[in-house]
Amino acid sequence: MLIYTFRRLAEMILTLFIIATATFFLLAAVPGDPISDRVEKLPTQIRHNMYAKYGLNKPLLQRYVITMKGLAVGNFGESIIYPGQTVQSILHDKLPASARLGIQQMVLGITIGLGLGIIAAMKKNTWIDYSIITAAILLISIPHLIFGLLLQKMFAGNLGWFPVIGWPKGKDLWTGGWEYTILPTLTGCFAYIASYTRLLKTSMLDVVNQDYILTAESKGISKARVVLKHVLRNSMIPIITNLPMSIAMCITGSFFIERIFSIPGIGMYYVTSVNGRDLPLIMGQTVIISAIYVTVIFITDVLYTIVDPRIQIQGGRK
Amino acid sequence: MLWIQECANEGGITITQLLEVTNLSVSYHTYAGEVQSVRGISFDVKEGETLAIVGESGCGKSVTARSIMGLIKPPIGEIKLSSEIRYRGKNILTFTSKEWAYYRGGESSIIFQDALTALNPTMTIGDQITENIFAHEKISKKAAVERATGLLEQVGIPDASKKLKSYPHQLSGGMRQRVMIAIAFACNPKLLIADEPTTALDVTIQAQILDMIRSLQVKKNTSVMLITHDLGIVANIASRVIIMYSGRIVERGSSDDIFYHPKHPYTIALLRAIPKLTDKSKEKLYSIEGRPPDLLDPPKGCPFAARCPYCMNVCVEANPESFDFGLGHTASCWLHHSQAPKVEWSI
Amino acid sequence: MELTKISFKKYNGKRLNAEELSGYSATYWKDVWRRLMVNPTAMLSLAALVIIIILVIIGPLISGHDISSINPRRANLNPSLENWFGTDNLGRDLFTRVWYGARASIIVALVCTLIQTVTGCLYGGVMAYFGGWVDEVLMRIIEVMTSMPTLLITILTMMVLGNGMVALLVAMSVTSWCGTARLIRGQVMQLREAEYVLAAVALGASPFWVILKHLIPNTFGLLMLTIATSIPDYIFTEAGLSFLGIGLQPPNTSLGVLISIGQQTMDFFPIQLLVPGLILCTIVLAFNLLGDGLRDALDPRMRQ
């Protein structure tokens, strides 16, 4: 287990290194340079100082080495569009909002989704099942951005029940200002409800057809116990496999939701930094988001071995 | 569930009929239509005896087994209303969920063909055995574990207390089937249904498993319903044999009747298909030409007519009645009608 | 029934074999098609898709308006007989523009799906065919590519390549083929180890031929499913990128472009957001329902 963890950690670091390198050279290939627009009208001397400040006067490989050295110690450099702020301080400011939004929508969405999935599977081929599944397909056919805009217009704009934009700050950062978080959370959670409902239903029906369910039933244990101990546990295996996809969905969703509701989170700033060609900020955010994602993949693999004893971690990859 | 105990204690009267199946019909509803898997069969299982049900795959023998365990699931599976399955005199098809809980696992239990798929892959075998015990008895965890260890020892698993903590995939095929048997016998059931218990196993292990079932059966006075496609393994075990073909019983009788005085062409064909060590001729292994009829649209005559070497005009027109040869030996074949020509056959 | 002497004469008539008796024997594909045909939702969505595709082709022609003629005096009109879906802030006919936009979105989605399928099949095929270290290296590449959220890669690629159509196509399919490649690899590997394939090879069939003969029918269904679920994903992503200001930009038109224009005037003229939004949802819904029906048809266990 320990050896496995170390090996996976080494792999994760290698993966992140490759991602950082690829991102660096990809960004280096962007035509033009990030500050030319900004410094055009400035005097030559100041312009030179600006280039020197961001190291843009140095050759490519040297810049690469400096960037990677910085990444290794958690120094991502200074932002271009937010002068005077380091990338890590921006990330430190913006991450909590995104994290809270992500956690809220995932907890709500996955809970409701799994619940509906169980109901749909238990009431298979009844109108309850059909309406749940139809609703799920309807929901995944509405993109975040349209859903968010509609909710915003109806409940914040027309009805005025919630603030149109904004996000709790300061002491409310994690546990207060719920009225701000309700609409964004709802916008995000529907995608989870839809995908988890369908996933769990499919997985449960698959398990219900297995012989060991017949064995369990023939033991005379209660129906509830059959579902809880035998069906659900085995149905969870594909659900866990889906975890990285959920995180990806959360990141993707944050790009849209944060923009619609003007939430000062990583998703919104990523787009801003891409549009502003803020290379250090893009670099930092890409690495951080990928690091989170890679960690989730690792956690998934470990969870996998816990739920399914057939998977053995000594054996390495599945 | 008191009725079961009452019946058992009915003032000295021994009830020999443990299970009576009457006119059992089971259908499966598929896209293509209604598949009539079992078409009105009747039989009984006596206390302590071994009854073998033999037939090729798709003849309805497993469906019969599942019906007796209440494992036919509507709306796909349907047990027809005219069917009756009486366990100690009470129709199990009208059981309440409480009665089912008492009956399944406690009074009757089942072993499936492939223990790898029949055991829960994410649960230790210890938990799977004690689960059955907890469902039927108020017992401490420690006592249940002790009993599970004892059961594993009885079915011949070495190092039993350690093995309780392993998962099914960590055991060999033979070991897994032993675990299945331990689960089945955990609450000393009166009726054990063994649905092809040895089909997935090596020949050498087959014999061990059958011997073990046999010895546990004697020790615990359990009735066994052995379901198999292999007439060869039946001879030494079963006291009575039922031959099924496309959802119907075609012949029934004592083991001797079936092996030495078969009356149905299908039984004879099955017997011929058993390879014999003594057979010195260089003939090919006997096989029955053709395939069983499609149960989506069963033929109106004898189901075996299309493959029968003695097929007569009446055979394709009407399903044969059952002809009685005494002492419970019957066969459904028109050849035994008084007007039919006499046919000589050898096995 | 009356039994006569003749009843007990040997039967000389035709004896029906099981196969002939059944009257029901269909190939797998016929069966899949039949199951799809009896699924009303799948058929309804197929019909909806056909109608949408017809409208996408002829829609801009039948409105009597041109896509780009600006008429400031007729700006922001509500739907009328003259302009069926109203007009936008420059007085352009929304009906014409919406179908133009849908055309672009669908074409983008189809081309990306094509790139994804072809690249995925080739890559997966190479992995499985060569095996060994080639497989190992190619698999590592996929692992690195998939250890980054897709949208990030897409956005970064768009940044490098600019906002054009080609850039969009490349950016959206840059990682999507990984899944298809894994699918194909898995299928080929599974087939290589399948006993019937081993048997066929032992009997002298060329392994390449065997794989080709069994791979295509076995994988075709799964591939169809991937395609049916990929198309709505691409339509979503395209719309999303335009909305974020990273994808196609005016004067190009797509559903995403129209939605992001509509969003700016949403408070005053909600129709300009609703119409492209609704059409986008309908297309995606139809593809999703069709994909769902296809899944059920390919795997009858799920419904029984």
Side-chain angles (χ1 to χ4, degrees):
Chain A
M1 182 69 199
L2 206 64
I3 298 169
Y4 173 77
T5 312
F6 274 120
R7 218 195 68 212
R8 283 302 301 271
L9 273 177
E11 274 179 12
M12 277 161 65
I13 290 167
L14 183 70
T15 307
L16 284 178
F17 173 79
I18 297 173
I19 289 175
T21 307
T23 311
F24 179 87
F25 287 106
L26 209 58
L27 292 178
V30 175
D33 70 70
I35 51 177
S36 56
D37 288 350
R38 230 167 287 274
V39 295
E40 245 173 357
K41 296 185 185 104
L42 296 175
T44 321
Q45 185 51 40
I46 300 177
R47 202 189 307 173
H48 279 299
N49 286 348
M50 284 291 276
Y51 275 96
K53 184 178 168 195
Y54 292 106
L56 288 170
N57 52 351
K58 298 195 179 76
L60 186 64
L61 278 178
Q62 204 178 340
R63 263 163 47 205
Y64 171 68
V65 174
I66 294 171
T67 311
M68 294 310 273
K69 270 186 183 159
L71 286 184
V73 294
N75 176 14
F76 298 99
E78 195 183 311
S79 164
I80 295 173
I81 49 174
Y82 303 103
Q85 290 191 55
T86 56
V87 171
Q88 53 270 35
S89 71
I90 293 177
L91 289 175
H92 183 261
D93 281 353
K94 308 307 172 202
L95 260 177
S98 294
R100 180 173 172 188
L101 176 60
I103 292 169
Q104 280 185 195
Q105 69 188 28
M106 277 174 77
V107 168
L108 189 68
I110 295 177
T111 318
I112 299 177
L114 293 183
L116 288 178
I118 295 175
I119 296 173
M122 302 285 285
K123 301 277 174 198
K124 188 177 85 159
N125 294 338
T126 62
W127 65 270
I128 300 174
D129 169 29
Y130 292 138
S131 21
I132 289 177
I133 295 304
T134 311
I137 297 179
L138 256 170
L139 283 177
I140 49 166
S141 304
I142 305 173
H144 278 125
L145 72 105
I146 292 183
F147 207 70
L149 288 171
L150 282 178
L151 284 182
Q152 189 184 43
K153 180 152 175 57
M154 258 171 85
F155 294 103
N158 295 356
L159 293 169
W161 292 354
F162 302 103
V164 178
I165 54 167
W167 195 255
K169 289 198 240 344
K171 67 173 173 42
D172 287 340
L173 188 59
W174 287 99
T175 51
W178 294 100
E179 69 275 16
Y180 288 100
T181 70
I182 288 176
L183 288 183
T185 305
L186 276 182
T187 306
C189 82
F190 278 108
Y192 292 95
I193 297 179
S195 63
Y196 277 88
T197 303
R198 297 208 309 164
L199 198 65
L200 186 63
K201 186 200 162 192
T202 313
S203 159
M204 277 181 74
L205 291 189
D206 217 25
V207 171
V208 164
N209 282 328
Q210 300 288 323
D211 279 357
Y212 56 79
I213 301 303
L214 291 181
T215 308
E217 286 175 344
S218 72
K219 286 177 187 170
I221 56 180
S222 65
K223 201 170 161 69
R225 198 185 152 87
V226 172
V227 172
L228 286 175
K229 290 286 279 187
H230 295 272
V231 180
L232 267 186
R233 169 115 196 231
N234 287 290
S235 309
M236 278 304 156
I237 297 169
I239 300 288
I240 286 169
T241 324
N242 200 41
L243 208 62
M245 211 206 78
S246 300
I247 296 292
M249 208 151 88
C250 176
I251 294 164
T252 309
S254 74
F255 283 83
F256 302 108
I257 300 172
E258 290 178 10
R259 195 173 159 99
I260 294 166
F261 294 97
S262 294
I263 299 164
I266 267 215
M268 190 163 102
Y269 277 77
Y270 197 87
V271 178
T272 318
S273 59
V274 164
N275 286 335
R277 306 212 179 284
D278 188 342
L279 300 190
L281 194 51
I282 298 173
M283 188 77 191
Q285 299 194 59
T286 307
V287 171
I288 288 290
I289 293 175
S290 302
I292 296 172
Y293 192 56
V294 170
T295 313
V296 172
I297 294 176
F298 171 62
I299 294 172
T300 307
D301 285 355
V302 172
L303 275 180
Y304 213 52
T305 61
I306 294 172
V307 175
D308 190 348
R310 284 168 297 182
I311 312 275
Q312 276 168 351
I313 45 179
Q314 288 88 352
R317 278 162 199 288
K318 300 162 286 241
Chain B
M1 55 205 68
L2 284 171
W3 56 270
I4 295 177
Q5 281 139 8
E6 273 165 26
C7 293
N9 300 331
E10 242 169 63
I13 307 163
T14 354
I15 301 160
T16 52
Q17 230 76 312
L18 186 68
L19 187 81
E20 278 179 270
V21 176
T22 319
N23 195 23
L24 177 68
S25 300
V26 188
S27 284
Y28 278 90
H29 298 279
T30 67
Y31 263 118
E34 183 183 339
V35 178
Q36 303 173 28
S37 298
V38 175
R39 303 188 285 156
I41 64 169
S42 304
F43 63 92
D44 54 50
V45 182
K46 297 183 174 61
E47 229 162 72
E49 79 160 341
T50 301
L51 171 74
I53 299 186
V54 183
E56 58 199 286
S57 46
C59 73
K61 55 194 194 308
S62 286
V63 176
T64 308
R66 287 177 188 202
S67 312
I68 295 169
M69 289 306 289
L71 298 175
I72 303 291
K73 286 176 194 164
I76 298 147
E78 182 199 356
I79 297 181
K80 298 283 174 185
L81 282 175
S82 57
S83 315
E84 261 185 23
I85 301 174
R86 292 191 173 275
Y87 178 78
R88 289 196 195 270
K90 176 138 189 180
N91 190 353
I92 66 167
L93 300 175
T94 59
F95 268 7
T96 61
S97 56
K98 256 188 163 172
E99 286 168 331
W100 271 122
Y102 184 84
Y103 167 78
R104 292 206 278 211
E107 292 291 310
S108 69
S109 56
I110 186 164
I111 304 170
F112 292 107
Q113 172 176 344
D114 183 1
L116 181 61
T117 60
L119 288 169
N120 186 339
T122 60
M123 215 169 162
T124 62
I125 60 172
D127 284 345
Q128 297 192 52
I129 299 173
T130 53
E131 185 177 43
N132 199 2
I133 301 173
F134 285 130
H136 297 96
E137 285 165 47
K138 285 212 161 44
I139 187 171
S140 73
K141 176 129 210 249
K142 196 167 156 251
V145 171
E146 259 167 39
R147 177 124 142 241
T149 318
L151 279 162
L152 284 188
E153 278 163 1
Q154 276 184 45
V155 296
I157 292 184
D159 212 1
S161 55
K162 227 177 171 181
K163 285 282 182 339
L164 283 178
K165 292 189 190 69
S166 34
Y167 289 94
H169 70 276
Q170 294 164 327
L171 304 177
S172 69
M175 287 295 166
R176 280 195 289 263
Q177 197 56 284
R178 284 165 202 265
V179 171
M180 274 305 289
I181 294 168
I183 294 174
F185 276 103
C187 296
N188 301 321
K190 290 273 119 214
L191 173 68
L192 174 76
I193 300 170
D195 186 357
E196 304 259 9
T198 60
T199 308
L201 302 173
D202 287 348
V203 182
T204 46
I205 298 170
Q206 276 188 12
Q208 290 173 15
I209 296 283
L210 287 173
D211 281 350
M212 200 174 59
I213 293 178
R214 182 106 191 102
S215 70
L216 280 167
Q217 171 190 19
V218 171
K219 208 185 293 173
K220 309 200 174 193
N221 192 31
T222 312
S223 307
V224 174
M225 226 175 102
L226 177 68
I227 288 165
T228 179
H229 68 275
D230 184 358
L231 200 50
I233 67 167
V234 166
N236 305 321
I237 300 174
S239 49
R240 289 191 303 139
V241 180
I242 287 175
I243 310 282
M244 275 185 82
Y245 188 77
S246 73
R248 286 214 167 100
I249 293 176
V250 294
E251 182 167 5
R252 78 179 85 205
S254 69
S255 201
D256 283 353
D257 290 337
I258 297 294
F259 281 93
Y260 300 109
H261 311 288
K263 297 290 184 194
H264 196 283
Y266 179 61
T267 313
I268 290 155
L270 279 181
L271 287 167
R272 279 199 195 145
I274 303 174
K276 291 176 201 67
L277 285 175
T278 51
D279 201 351
K280 290 205 178 68
S281 67
K282 287 185 180 161
E283 270 176 71
K284 275 199 304 185
L285 197 57
Y286 180 82
S287 68
I288 310 171
E289 294 280 313
R291 279 207 251 154
D294 190 334
L295 293 176
L296 274 170
D297 179 25
K300 60 178 173 173
C302 171
F304 192 60
R307 302 166 81 183
C308 182
Y310 312 105
C311 183
M312 302 177 294
N313 290 326
V314 64
C315 299
V316 290
E317 292 299 328
N319 190 50
E321 54 199 89
S322 173
F323 294 91
D324 198 336
F325 303 96
L327 296 169
H329 186 192
T330 66
S332 304
C333 177
W334 284 118
L335 285 174
H336 303 292
H337 192 270
S338 54
Q339 286 180 289
K342 289 287 160 275
V343 178
E344 289 296 318
W345 52 49
S346 65
I347 302 161
Chain C
M1 178 181 154
E2 210 180 321
L3 295 176
T4 58
K5 256 191 158 168
I6 300 155
S7 300
F8 293 97
K9 286 276 180 285
K10 193 159 172 55
Y11 177 67
N12 286 321
K14 186 173 184 286
R15 280 207 260 186
L16 292 173
N17 230 334
E19 289 93 312
E20 301 163 58
L21 260 177
S22 70
Y24 167 78
S25 67
T27 63
Y28 176 66
W29 287 109
K30 267 191 189 154
D31 227 28
V32 167
W33 181 241
R34 190 180 54 79
R35 280 194 292 262
L36 198 62
M37 289 283 285
V38 297
N39 184 341
T41 16
M43 282 298 110
L44 210 65
S45 34
L46 195 62
L49 279 179
V50 170
I51 293 173
I52 285 171
I53 286 171
I54 292 173
L55 277 171
V56 157
I57 296 168
I58 63 161
L61 303 173
I62 57 170
S63 67
H65 294 274
D66 156 346
I67 178 179
S68 52
S69 56
I70 297 173
N71 186 352
R73 268 173 297 162
R74 296 188 58 83
N76 296 324
L77 291 180
N78 276 332
S80 65
L81 274 177
E82 174 69 21
N83 302 98
W84 297 337
F85 287 165
T87 57
D88 71 355
N89 57 346
L90 294 174
R92 293 174 293 193
D93 181 50
L94 211 53
F95 186 85
T96 314
R97 288 178 61 74
V98 158
W99 293 118
Y100 255 115
R103 183 190 292 180
S105 291
I106 290 177
I107 289 175
V108 166
L110 288 178
V111 174
C112 286
T113 310
L114 188 73
I115 299 176
Q116 169 194 338
T117 314
V118 172
T119 319
C121 285
L122 285 177
Y123 197 98
V126 167
M127 274 200 286
Y129 187 80
F130 289 101
W133 66 268
V134 178
D135 181 36
E136 183 81 7
V137 169
L138 293 181
M139 200 65 193
R140 285 291 153 135
I141 294 176
I142 287 191
E143 268 170 29
V144 172
M145 293 199 77
T146 48
S147 56
M148 224 172 139
T150 318
L151 193 64
L152 288 195
I153 304 188
T154 307
I155 290 177
L156 288 176
T157 318
M158 279 307 277
M159 211 181 136
V160 177
L161 299 179
N163 279 350
M165 185 62 125
V166 177
L168 185 71
L169 293 176
V170 173
M172 292 214 301
S173 36
V174 74
T175 55
S176 60
W177 54 268
C178 292
T180 317
R182 275 188 170 152
L183 174 85
I184 296 292
R185 173 181 178 269
Q187 287 284 318
V188 179
M189 298 284 230
Q190 205 184 343
L191 259 179
R192 280 226 297 223
E193 276 154 38
E195 281 173 17
Y196 63 95
V197 172
L198 290 180
V201 173
L203 289 172
S206 133
F208 185 73
W209 166 246
V210 171
I211 282 185
L212 207 68
K213 192 163 182 281
H214 290 113
L215 180 70
I216 290 173
N218 276 324
T219 314
F220 192 66
L222 288 171
L223 219 51
M224 292 264 289
L225 203 60
T226 319
I227 290 172
T229 48
S230 294
I231 292 175
D233 275 356
Y234 285 121
I235 294 179
F236 262 22
T237 313
E238 183 279 318
L241 288 176
S242 298
F243 174 76
L244 295 177
I246 298 166
L248 290 178
Q249 296 299 323
N252 282 328
T253 316
S254 74
L255 286 176
V257 173
L258 292 172
I259 287 171
S260 57
I261 295 174
Q263 189 237 343
Q264 291 155 12
T265 54
M266 163 175 103
D267 290 332
F268 312 104
F269 310 107
I271 188 89
Q272 293 177 20
L273 172 65
L274 278 178
V275 167
L278 218 60
I279 286 171
L280 180 117
C281 292
T282 315
I283 297 174
V284 171
L285 182 66
F287 270 112
N288 279 335
L289 287 173
L290 187 65
D292 217 51
L294 199 60
R295 194 193 323 267
D296 287 338
L298 289 168
D299 190 3
R301 267 181 321 150
M302 290 293 105
R303 287 180 82 93
Q304 271 161 344

